[in-house]
Amino acid sequence: MRVDLSVSWLGLTMANPLYNASGVMCRSVTELEQVRHSAAGAVISKSCTLQPRDGNPEPRYHATALGSINSMGLPNAGYAYYRDYARSYPYAQGKPLFLSISGMTLEDNLSMLADLASSALPCIPEVNLSCPNLPGKPQLGYDPDACAITLAEISRIYSGPFGVKLPPYFDPVHFSQMADLLNEFVGLRFVTCINSIGNGLVIDPDTESVVIKPKDGLGGLGGSYVLPTALANVREFARLLHGKHVVGCGGINSGREAFMHILAGATAVQIGTCLYEEGEGAFARILDELRALMLQKGYRCLDDFRGKLKTL
């Protein structure tokens, strides 16, 4: 039996549902090209600010037995660097490109999106509403009023399809409140769930110390730590959003977790911590495992099980 892993959405076709999470293998053209030449179905750039940033002081990433903690602080080469990459990107080869935007201010985001709109490039922006690792700056995604203003201004400036990367939500009221807000914007075509769970703390009992330097050791959790939270956010937004897609992100180490995200309603799936630790070979391995699991269950395509999670 042949298994079809392709995904058609946003007017695009991906050979499979996997791509990198913004922040992993996407800061430089070299890394972006590694992802493009891998088995990934798409590529997304590093969340960029208007001007280049060095990010937070090192050490700012630490792997653990259950995932990772990081406080990167948006290190990136600046918007123009990624826009220029988008200009030279070989779209005709059929692997979509997403451009992640994370301005330090609303005006910065609008400036970048206005320029992107005038460039008429076929890449699709993902606006980051959820960076938890900037000292002194709260996550926009936890402020519904600010989100409403931001999305209204983005929709005024940018007429093409776009998405947003969301922080994790933990209460049904917040799922519903955010979904009602997101449903108001027709151009907003997808949400990515989730960014890391912010402000966790990992302690090394041998050294009696935190393991990363920024924010006195506080950082965003990724990897297996966040899988149940990510799945809950994917399932709830898949149920509550109308005519929009959900991209699953969080805790995918194998084909089984990718399957879970799609079963919960994800259209596509981003890989973060696992990709950081394993490199671009993770895409082929996870796809092989997903394909084998689908064969075992008798599924011919992703639509056969997408969003069909059973409840008790």
Side-chain angles (χ1 to χ4, degrees):
M1 184 178 73
R2 181 178 177 274
V3 170
D4 180 7
L5 294 177
S6 66
V7 178
S8 295
W9 64 314
L10 308 174
L12 306 168
T13 298
M14 292 166 54
N16 66 74
L18 303 187
Y19 60 116
N20 59 311
S22 181
V24 184
M25 292 195 69
C26 59
R27 185 176 171 186
S28 69
V29 167
T30 299
E31 291 178 332
L32 289 162
E33 285 293 280
Q34 284 179 277
V35 175
R36 185 174 72 84
H37 288 288
S38 75
V43 179
I44 189 168
S45 65
K46 171 67 179 172
S47 289
C48 64
T49 49
L50 192 56
Q51 302 300 328
R53 280 178 58 88
D54 292 332
N56 292 339
E58 301 277 3
R60 56 192 184 190
Y61 174 92
H62 183 84
T64 74
L66 292 175
S68 64
I69 184 170
N70 86 86
S71 183
M72 306 301 286
L74 291 178
N76 73 95
Y79 164 72
Y81 179 88
Y82 302 104
R83 180 208 53 210
D84 290 347
Y85 176 72
R87 283 176 172 165
S88 64
Y89 190 82
Y91 299 98
Q93 293 182 12
K95 190 169 288 193
L97 174 66
F98 295 84
L99 200 68
S100 181
I101 301 290
S102 188
M104 301 299 287
T105 65
L106 173 57
E107 290 72 23
D108 285 355
N109 275 336
L110 297 179
S111 176
M112 290 185 278
L113 288 166
D115 181 77
L116 193 62
S118 68
S119 300
L121 295 169
C123 60
I124 296 180
E126 177 189 272
V127 181
N128 188 349
L129 302 181
S130 54
C131 181
N133 299 319
L134 294 176
K137 288 185 70 66
Q139 294 187 59
L140 190 64
Y142 288 144
D143 185 337
D145 291 338
C147 278
I149 293 169
T150 296
L151 293 172
E153 288 297 297
I154 289 172
S155 298
R156 180 179 63 84
I157 291 290
Y158 193 83
S159 60
F162 70 95
V164 293
K165 188 166 187 178
L166 297 176
Y169 298 96
F170 303 96
D171 191 285
V173 171
H174 297 147
F175 287 127
S176 179
Q177 182 183 45
M178 197 63 189
D180 288 345
L181 171 60
L182 298 171
N183 277 325
E184 293 180 14
F185 299 96
V186 176
L188 196 163
R189 299 289 306 281
F190 69 95
V191 301
T192 300
C193 301
I194 57 174
N195 209 327
S196 57
I197 296 179
N199 298 307
L201 181 64
V202 172
I203 293 173
D204 183 338
D206 295 328
T207 62
E208 302 180 14
S209 172
V210 301
V211 296
I212 57 174
K213 184 173 183 177
K215 296 173 66 176
D216 292 329
L218 297 184
L221 298 177
S224 297
Y225 289 118
V226 309
L227 177 63
T229 300
L231 291 174
N233 278 256
V234 168
R235 200 275 298 270
E236 291 307 294
F237 281 111
R239 295 203 297 191
L240 293 168
L241 294 178
H242 308 312
K244 303 183 190 302
H245 298 274
V246 178
V247 178
C249 182
I252 297 102
N253 296 309
S254 73
R256 289 178 61 83
E257 293 85 29
F259 179 87
M260 292 179 203
H261 271 266
I262 297 166
L263 187 66
T267 296
V269 178
Q270 296 178 355
I271 313 296
T273 297
C274 176
L275 179 61
Y276 189 100
E277 293 297 322
E278 186 176 336
E280 66 270 28
F283 291 118
R285 175 183 61 79
I286 292 171
L287 286 171
D288 285 344
E289 293 166 354
L290 175 59
R291 189 178 293 107
L293 184 57
M294 289 173 62
L295 281 170
Q296 177 186 330
K297 291 176 172 288
Y299 293 135
R300 294 178 178 270
C301 67
L302 301 177
D303 283 340
D304 285 348
F305 64 94
R306 180 183 287 113
K308 297 180 180 179
L309 179 66
K310 302 170 185 175
T311 56
L312 304 179

